[in-house]
Amino acid sequence: MNQSNSRNLIWVRLLQGSMETLFYLPILFIAAFYASTSSFMVSWLLTLPIVYTLGALWIRKLKVNRRIYRILIATLLGAGQTILLLAVLIAFNAELPGITVLILGLLGAFISTNGMRAATKGWYAAFPNTLMFVSVILYVILTIAAHLREQFEPYFIFLTICGIAALVLLLYIINERLLTYETHSGGAIQSATTKVFKRQNRFMLSIVAVLLLIAGLFRQLQSSIEAFFHAVMNRIMGWMNRSKDPVQEQPADTPPEQSGLPPVEANHPPHWLVWLEHLAKYIGITLLIIGIVVLLYFIGRKLYQLLNKALGRIWERASDRKDSAEGYTDEVESLVSQSKWSDRFLKPGKKKEARWEELRTTGDKVRYLYRWFVAGATGKGYSFKPHFTVKETGSDILAWRNKPQTNADVEQLTRLYDEVRYGGQEPNEELVQSLRKRLGEQRK
């Protein structure tokens, strides 16, 4: 079971590292383009997710979170990646980069540090939404530069496809984070309802992703249509220029007639044929645009109906739960509140959590301890279950950690949290300080 969890964790880190590499690609591409050769650049970009994963797993095995250790491990991984790739290039007699490849070693260390941060603090905190927005903007700038500068022109299609993939991933990740945050405190009824809503959301985003791909590659589609019509017109011209009568060859000893007029250009198409070619091209492009618009209309109407239906169902469930469970009203947030969605979507890191020294009441300190306890387990691989109660979550974490000596402290923490959250009580200051000290020692 533990081996299966470890294997799944490795795949999760590889997936996270691949996505972060995609979002950091505008910066990584510029550095690799000027600091290395094309063969080294490709192999370096492909192995960055592995460096990310190794950093995340290594820091989790060592169970240390001091900055000096993170810097040393990241430097070792970045240097190891660079040296290994150089050795492979030497073995294949490929072109080697210069001393500027040290820059790529430092960037590899930076990616490794991101993996460590995701393993200790969680991926949402280590890779916020703001970075993804900035990455999409950089993709736009980079594709424009690739279109204008000849040295970047061979990579234009590659950067365009990566930019569209980053935009699609941005929609998927932010949508998932918003739904997870809004339904975080729900019970079994809400989980069953939101599961259907999430499935419909992913389906709708998949359709939007396809449409974005078509829109992003529209210029290439237009070029393909133009090339097709050019080929058709060339065939028509070749067929019309064929002569039905065989051409009489002049004798070899007969000199060609000299004329004082300049030579006439051959195979010059008539104006009506050029006009017909342009007309056919514009008709094809117009039909393509009309088809996309009609498709967008029907898909948008269907998506609007599905979204209204799903949101109405969730709204009814949330209203019923508010009426029947008053003890949870302090933690429930509206799923369809536009202001809350905009705050989570555009400014996820605006509200920073207060530090322990800044907390004024013991109730706030107990809430802080509980979040700190759960976040520590989640950062080490524990899968949080939103439908569990506070007591069930504590017992589940204890069973996952398999440390029976911490049972009393965790039970005391969950009991104090229940008293603070639902009873409005304020525990003793010395008791909370002592509990924090014991939990901190057990976490090391």
Side-chain angles (χ1 to χ4, degrees), residues 136-182:
V136 171
I137 295 173
L138 291 178
Y139 265 114
V140 174
I141 298 174
L142 190 57
T143 50
I144 293 175
H147 185 70
L148 297 178
R149 296 183 66 86
E150 294 182 359
Q151 54 183 342
F152 290 150
E153 191 173 356
Y155 301 97
F156 176 75
I157 297 179
F158 167 73
L159 294 173
T160 302
I161 295 176
C162 290
I164 296 173
L167 180 58
V168 172
L169 274 178
L170 170 69
L171 296 176
Y172 270 108
I173 293 172
I174 292 183
N175 176 73
E176 195 70 22
R177 287 178 175 179
L178 282 171
L179 291 177
T180 302
Y181 187 90
E182 294 288 342

Side-chain angles (χ1 to χ4, degrees), residues 190-208:
Q190 188 184 14
S191 297
T193 306
T194 54
K195 192 175 295 185
V196 178
F197 179 69
K198 285 184 177 181
R199 192 182 304 117
Q200 292 176 349
N201 240 314
R202 295 189 186 104
F203 174 72
M204 290 186 288
L205 282 178
S206 300
I207 297 176
V208 173

Side-chain angles (χ1 to χ4, degrees), residues 14-39:
L14 275 174
L15 181 60
Q16 292 174 353
S18 301
M19 288 189 289
E20 288 202 28
T21 302
L22 177 65
F23 281 107
Y24 281 113
L25 187 63
I27 299 175
L28 300 176
F29 173 80
I30 292 296
F33 182 83
Y34 286 106
S36 67
T37 59
S38 58
S39 57

Side-chain angles (χ1 to χ4, degrees), residues 29-37 40 96-104:
F29 173 80
I30 292 296
F33 182 83
Y34 286 106
S36 67
T37 59
F40 188 92
L96 296 177
I99 192 65
T100 53
V101 78
L102 294 176
I103 300 175
L104 303 187

Side-chain angles (χ1 to χ4, degrees), residues 184-249:
H184 187 68
S185 59
I189 296 178
Q190 188 184 14
S191 297
T193 306
T194 54
K195 192 175 295 185
V196 178
F197 179 69
K198 285 184 177 181
R199 192 182 304 117
Q200 292 176 349
N201 240 314
R202 295 189 186 104
F203 174 72
M204 290 186 288
L205 282 178
S206 300
I207 297 176
V208 173
V210 174
L211 296 177
L212 285 174
L213 184 63
I214 295 174
L217 299 178
F218 182 78
R219 185 71 184 104
Q220 283 71 24
L221 293 175
Q222 182 183 0
S223 300
S224 301
I225 293 174
E226 292 179 357
F228 170 75
F229 281 109
H230 276 299
V232 172
M233 290 299 112
N234 288 334
R235 283 183 175 272
I236 294 175
M237 284 289 298
W239 176 75
M240 293 182 64
N241 289 334
R242 290 178 183 175
S243 177
K244 295 181 180 179
D245 299 329
V247 179
Q248 296 181 357
E249 296 183 358

Side-chain angles (χ1 to χ4, degrees), residues 85-94 96:
L85 292 179
L86 287 174
V88 172
L89 292 179
I90 292 174
F92 284 94
N93 295 323
L96 296 177

